[in-house]
Amino acid sequence: MKSSLLYVSQKTMLWPDDAADVAAIAEVARARNAELAVTGALISTRAHFAQMLEGPSGAIEALMDSIRRDPRHREVTVVTTGPIARRQFATWSLAYAGPSTYVAAALEPLLAEGASAYDIRLLMRLMREFARKYGGKV
């Protein structure tokens, strides 16, 4: 079954010195996601990551196990997860367009308990817009 998972985490790397590290994360993730039939998007702000993963449930669980152990971030908070009828980022093994300070304000409510459905939809819309802007069909 296909499912999706959206998480937000706190970066342990210091901005702006983290640009090369985050680019390397994206490169490795693209290859690994393609092997696992996972699609999605990554947002990196000064202090946080937000990532949407879509694909086979087992593959997403395996990726999340790895993500939770990664020392480059902490406080991994799963915002939403569940089955999906279709993928939001079907043409991307990982949509990533570089660091974004614009999205930072949209991540803050998702780190607090009781994030609203509106907050989740807003972040998803921003992720889709970034993917569209940088050449993907979503």
Side-chain angles (χ1 to χ4, degrees):
M1 174 191 323
K2 285 184 213 154
S3 62
S4 69
L5 183 143
L6 173 64
Y7 77 84
V8 178
S9 63
Q10 185 176 359
K11 291 166 64 174
T12 58
M13 303 173 291
L14 297 177
W15 184 88
D17 299 330
D18 66 342
D21 289 331
V22 177
I25 289 169
E27 185 176 330
V28 169
R30 284 183 181 117
R32 186 172 182 195
N33 288 0
E35 288 175 14
L36 296 172
V38 170
T39 57
L42 174 68
I43 297 286
S44 174
T45 70
R46 289 180 183 207
H48 298 97
F49 287 116
Q51 185 171 15
M52 169 61 78
L53 299 169
E54 309 167 317
S57 298
I60 290 176
E61 289 172 20
L63 285 171
M64 284 307 295
D65 286 343
S66 175
I67 287 166
R68 284 185 179 101
R69 290 189 310 269
D70 192 323
R72 295 172 289 192
H73 61 160
R74 63 178 180 250
E75 297 180 32
V76 177
T77 303
V78 174
V79 176
T80 185
T81 187
I84 55 172
R86 73 175 190 84
R87 297 177 190 237
Q88 300 279 326
F89 300 94
T91 61
W92 294 88
S93 61
L94 182 70
Y96 176 68
S100 172
T101 55
Y102 175 76
V103 180
L107 296 183
E108 293 300 324
L110 299 175
L111 296 167
E113 285 189 38
S116 73
Y118 170 80
D119 296 325
I120 295 167
R121 286 192 308 271
L122 174 61
L123 178 58
M124 288 302 305
R125 183 175 59 81
L126 291 170
M127 291 176 121
R128 285 191 304 272
E129 289 301 317
F130 274 100
R132 279 190 190 102
K133 182 176 180 177
Y134 294 98
K137 295 178 184 176
V138 283

